[in-house]
Amino acid sequence: SSELTQDPAVSVALGQTVRITCQGDSLRSYYASWYQQKPGQAPVLVIYGKNNRPSGIPDRFSGSSSGNTASLTITGAQAEDEADYYCNSRDSSGHHLGFGGGTKVTVL
Amino acid sequence: QVQLQESGPGLVKPSETLSLSCTVSGGSISNYYWSWIRQPPGKGLEWIGYIYYSGSTNYNPSLKSRVTISVDTSKNQFSLKLSSVTAADTAVYYCAKLARPAWVFDYWGQGTLVTVSS
């Protein structure tokens, strides 16, 4: 299964920029997708592919990738962005899926 | 707008089989991939497996020996069976639509908590 590594927690001041990273060998071959999860709710897809946002996701969310690292950037973080964020991708075989351990984002 | 709803027992005894269903509304189950994902309390997400509407499946290797995912296109439903459960299988179980070729979970159910306890 996919082995993706995320920092457990990060904090950002209101209105500032935060970058969340996801590392894994499979990311050299496959894009990561990113999910936002607020307490008691199901995850919501926020970024996928090279840098695609589903309808309804604010443009302050963006994605990028370099080598074995995928990143989710929130530019001008808002209080409502406080949540857990999970990356997801295929494993190196391309046949199975997996999630990173999640990053808790706190907006100060 | 596709909507998914999980259903099934909230309590399962150790060593028994966990069984859940996911009903898809607002669209047809045909021509798409469907998946199960779980989240133990206070922990991260774990992909369990997926099924194509035709019945072909793919499972997480760590759970493969205990998992069966099936589909019933006449009911617009797909199901999960997890055998020989232990307390470690206690989790919120989500069903989700898997969009390919991007391989992303674009629609999720609200999740259902299944507790394994005697």
Side-chain angles (χ1 to χ4, degrees):
Chain A
S1 202
S2 176
E3 291 192 358
L4 301 172
T5 301
Q6 297 181 240
D7 290 331
V10 64
S11 61
V12 58
L14 184 68
Q16 296 304 300
T17 296
V18 62
R19 188 176 73 170
I20 307 160
T21 60
C22 175
Q23 290 187 305
D25 287 341
S26 66
L27 299 180
R28 297 183 185 279
S29 303
Y30 304 109
Y31 286 117
S33 53
W34 291 92
Y35 301 83
Q36 176 193 69
Q37 186 180 34
K38 296 181 180 180
Q41 297 183 18
V44 173
L45 177 67
V46 294
I47 287 289
Y48 67 97
K50 190 172 183 180
N51 182 20
N52 300 299
R53 281 177 290 105
S55 174
I57 301 302
D59 60 5
R60 63 179 178 271
F61 290 91
S62 62
S64 61
S65 184
S66 178
N68 73 335
T69 301
S71 300
L72 172 70
T73 300
I74 309 174
T75 303
Q78 302 299 302
E80 60 264 33
D81 300 333
E82 188 163 288
D84 294 326
Y85 291 83
Y86 293 91
C87 62
N88 164 251
S89 185
R90 286 186 268 178
D91 67 3
S92 296
S93 75
H95 294 301
H96 303 120
L97 295 161
F99 290 91
T103 297
K104 181 177 182 61
V105 172
T106 300
V107 180
L108 304 173
Chain B
Q1 177 89 349
V2 172
Q3 292 184 313
L4 299 92
Q5 179 67 58
E6 305 89 351
S7 60
L11 181 64
V12 180
K13 290 182 168 56
S15 80
E16 295 188 346
T17 296
L18 177 159
S19 296
L20 295 173
S21 292
C22 181
T23 300
V24 178
S25 59
S28 173
I29 203 168
S30 297
N31 300 310
Y32 293 105
Y33 289 82
W34 306 91
S35 193
W36 288 97
I37 297 149
R38 70 180 183 178
Q39 184 173 37
K43 297 188 178 180
L45 300 168
E46 180 179 31
W47 171 68
I48 298 172
Y50 68 71
I51 189 166
Y52 191 44
Y53 81 102
S54 63
S56 61
T57 55
N58 192 0
Y59 301 136
N60 185 326
S62 69
L63 298 169
K64 184 176 182 178
S65 64
R66 299 193 292 130
V67 171
T68 302
I69 298 176
S70 58
V71 64
D72 187 338
T73 54
S74 67
K75 294 182 179 180
N76 235 33
Q77 285 183 345
F78 62 105
S79 299
L80 169 70
K81 290 188 185 298
L82 181 65
S83 63
S84 305
V85 297
T86 69
D89 296 309
T90 294
V92 174
Y93 286 76
Y94 294 100
C95 58
K97 176 176 167 288
L98 177 62
R100 290 183 63 174
W103 290 73
V104 297
F105 303 104
D106 55 351
Y107 292 96
W108 296 65
Q110 65 185 25
T112 187
L113 174 63
V114 179
T115 301
V116 178
S117 175
S118 56

